[in-house]
Amino acid sequence: MLRVLFVGDVFGQPGRRVLSARLPELRKGVDFAVVNMENSAGGFGMHREAADAALKAGADCFTLGNHAWHHRDVFTMMNDEVTYPIVRPLNYSDPGAPGVGWRTFDVQGEGGSRERLTVVQVLGRVFMEALANPFRALDDLLDRGEDLGNILVDVHAEATSEKQALAWHLDGRVAAVIGTHTHVPTADTRILPGGTAYQTDAGFTGPHDSVIGSDPAAPIQRFLTERHDRYRVADGRAELNGVRLELEWNRAVKIERVRIVEGE
Ligand SMILES: [Fe+2]
Ligand SMILES: [Fe+2]
């Protein structure tokens, strides 16, 4: 049995702070921790400072998202895949995209058992940039016949319908489908009939008093005036959101939400 923690989009300095403060304790209760880092560098991308702090706190694998390429540190980190276990979106149309869209880890499970965990990320296409088909990209990966062990899919997408459809499409073929990108945790945590754990969005790890991470002033002004002002990472207390999974034979035995709000 393999216990995995998945932490949703780390956003800016408040997100990095709450991750560094809380991940070490959370990590003790699991065998592996996947952290989505796409907003960890001031809201856009991941820089080395953020990656190093997350590794120190106990992260075992990083996923990214639509802001994958925003900070150029990511390109050099991708050249050092032992130090920086990064999984970027799988479904870019460019076959020469840097990095990898999935990665298999050998993990020591509960009671010393040897387990395999494959982490894969896809980007959705509804209300997002045009990319290759994420459903087909995952079918192609699963049809290769490789021993991927327990498979965890981070579906980084805007539309609930696209995320749900992907989960049903993959039900019984992967251990978990966990959504990211909308930054708000959803309450639909469940295991589908075929054994795949699912939650539409893990929620994010960043400033609690914010509009999906930004200080509310600029988004309010934008919606009031149709003029896009500069967004600023909100200050103040932070929240950490994610899910905790128990996996066996590429099926989920358990999924539960993890939510910490500083000061509560
Ligand atoms: Fe995000
Ligand atoms: Fe995103």
Side-chain angles (χ1 to χ4, degrees):
M1 206 256 286
L2 184 62
R3 302 164 303 171
V4 180
L5 175 72
F6 182 90
V7 177
D9 311 30
V10 175
F11 194 105
Q13 198 278 331
R16 304 201 304 268
R17 184 188 70 232
V18 71
L19 187 77
S20 288
R22 300 305 186 103
L23 183 59
E25 188 63 32
L26 292 168
R27 178 64 180 77
K28 282 182 197 160
V30 295
D31 309 305
F32 198 87
V34 181
V35 182
N36 183 305
M37 295 285 282
E38 76 138 359
N39 310 111
S40 55
F44 300 97
M46 174 173 71
H47 51 33
R48 191 181 295 268
E49 180 192 343
D52 288 341
L55 289 170
K56 194 173 164 216
D60 298 288
C61 174
F62 299 132
T63 56
L64 296 169
N66 52 308
H67 297 303
W69 312 121
H70 199 96
H71 201 291
R72 64 179 152 186
D73 276 6
V74 86
F75 297 101
T76 50
M77 286 190 280
M78 279 174 173
N79 290 329
D80 183 1
E81 58 180 47
V82 177
T83 310
Y84 298 104
I86 299 169
V87 174
R88 49 86 171 148
L90 175 69
N91 54 319
Y92 292 118
S93 62
D94 175 14
V100 295
W102 59 279
R103 201 178 278 271
T104 301
F105 299 87
D106 285 312
V107 185
Q108 182 134 318
E110 216 187 3
S113 63
R114 285 202 57 196
E115 310 279 348
R116 270 168 106 70
L117 175 70
T118 296
V119 178
V120 50
Q121 178 175 59
V122 290
L123 281 176
R125 300 198 296 180
V126 179
F127 310 129
M128 299 184 81
E129 273 180 76
L131 291 178
N133 187 319
F135 289 67
R136 302 267 178 207
L138 280 161
D139 282 347
D140 289 347
L141 173 61
L142 298 177
D143 288 348
R144 287 162 64 141
E146 292 192 37
D147 177 15
L148 300 175
N150 297 281
I151 303 166
L152 167 63
V153 179
D154 170 351
V155 52
H156 196 82
E158 189 77 48
T160 300
S161 59
E162 192 177 21
K163 289 161 146 173
Q164 286 190 338
L166 186 72
W168 283 104
H169 181 62
L170 297 175
D171 184 26
R173 295 193 289 156
V174 305
V177 176
I178 307 298
T180 54
H181 178 69
T182 71
H183 292 191
V184 178
T186 56
D188 57 343
T189 318
R190 62 179 291 188
I191 297 175
L192 297 174
T196 299
Y198 176 66
Q199 187 174 313
T200 298
D201 208 291
F204 87 150
T205 298
H208 182 63
D209 299 313
S210 72
V211 174
I212 62 169
S214 294
D215 183 280
I220 291 170
Q221 202 56 27
R222 179 187 181 176
F223 289 117
L224 273 173
T225 66
E226 297 102 24
R227 291 190 298 279
H228 198 314
D229 203 359
R230 200 183 152 84
Y231 282 25
R232 198 176 63 75
V233 176
D235 318 308
R237 61 189 178 141
E239 61 187 56
L240 180 153
N241 290 288
V243 296
R244 188 183 178 283
L245 299 154
E246 293 182 5
L247 311 177
E248 207 163 38
W249 303 110
N250 199 26
R251 298 288 183 275
V253 179
K254 191 175 178 186
I255 175 172
E256 57 189 1
R257 286 196 297 280
V258 174
R259 178 172 171 81
I260 294 167
V261 180
E262 285 179 336
E264 279 184 6

